């Protein structure tokens, strides 16, 4: 019952947990039907929070809308190649591409003054692994 955008946003949370550490990431989300500023995205390992619990938390956070009073550092977009009005320290643009065969395309943009290239490379490497974990049958067991 989750949308592709919700699953990809949950994968971003899992990716940040794997690469940087556990916590909460405040994200401006532009995902068509789910657009909000300051959405609280949980960043937790699979040992701490099951895929089912993480996706439920993402759905609740998107339904509640954002609560950020100040600009956030992270922007997440799903769908057409959208450009944020104001640049963020980290932007993750995702979309489904028809060729080859329904491929998920993820474009990473980051402020080089805020992130080391190796950190963003690691985020990019961990993202597909987090996505596989979240969508695998075993990931919904908790």
């Amino acid at each position: 019952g989750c949308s592709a955008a919700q699953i990809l946003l949950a994968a971003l949370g899992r990716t940040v947990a794997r690469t940087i550490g556990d916590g909460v990431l405040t994200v401006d989300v532009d995902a068509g039907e789910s657009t909000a500023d300051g959405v609280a995205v949980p960043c937790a390992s699979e040992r701490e929070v099951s895929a089912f619990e993480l996706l439920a938390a993402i759905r609740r956070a998107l339904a509640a809308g954002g609560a950020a009073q100040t600009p956030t550092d992270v922007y997440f977009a799903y769908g057409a190649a959208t450009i944020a009005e104001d640049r963020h320290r980290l932007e993750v643009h995702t979309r489904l591409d028809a060729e080859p065969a329904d491929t998920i395309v993820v474009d990473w943009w980051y402020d080089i003054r805020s992130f080391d290239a190796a950190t963003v490379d690691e985020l990019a490497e961990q993202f597909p692994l987090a996505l596989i974990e979240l969508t695998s049958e075993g990931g919904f067991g908790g």
Side-chain angles (χ1 to χ4, degrees):
C2 293
S3 70
Q6 291 168 346
I7 294 169
L8 292 167
L9 191 55
L12 176 61
R14 191 71 99 210
T15 298
V16 169
R18 288 174 173 217
T19 306
I20 298 170
D22 292 351
V24 176
L25 189 63
T26 306
V27 180
D28 291 342
V29 177
D30 182 2
E33 78 287 347
S34 301
T35 300
D37 291 339
V39 174
V41 174
C43 302
S45 71
E46 56 273 12
R47 281 182 249 149
E48 299 294 320
V49 177
S50 73
F52 179 79
E53 293 166 330
L54 180 58
L55 287 165
I58 294 292
R59 291 178 76 182
R60 284 191 304 273
L62 287 170
Q69 300 298 318
T70 59
T72 63
D73 292 330
V74 181
Y75 176 77
F76 171 85
Y78 175 74
T82 355
I83 301 297
E85 286 183 28
D86 299 317
R87 282 296 192 177
H88 295 69
R89 290 175 45 200
L90 177 67
E91 296 186 14
V92 183
H93 298 262
T94 62
R95 68 184 183 282
L96 191 59
D97 203 3
E99 293 296 325
D102 296 329
T103 302
I104 297 170
V105 177
V106 182
D107 294 317
W108 299 84
W109 180 93
Y110 63 99
D111 180 352
I112 60 172
R113 296 167 298 191
S114 302
F115 286 94
D116 184 75
T119 301
V120 178
D121 286 344
E122 185 65 21
L123 288 166
E125 286 179 26
Q126 290 296 321
F127 189 84
L129 300 174
L131 187 57
I132 290 167
E133 181 263 317
L134 284 169
T135 57
S136 68
E137 188 174 334
F140 291 96

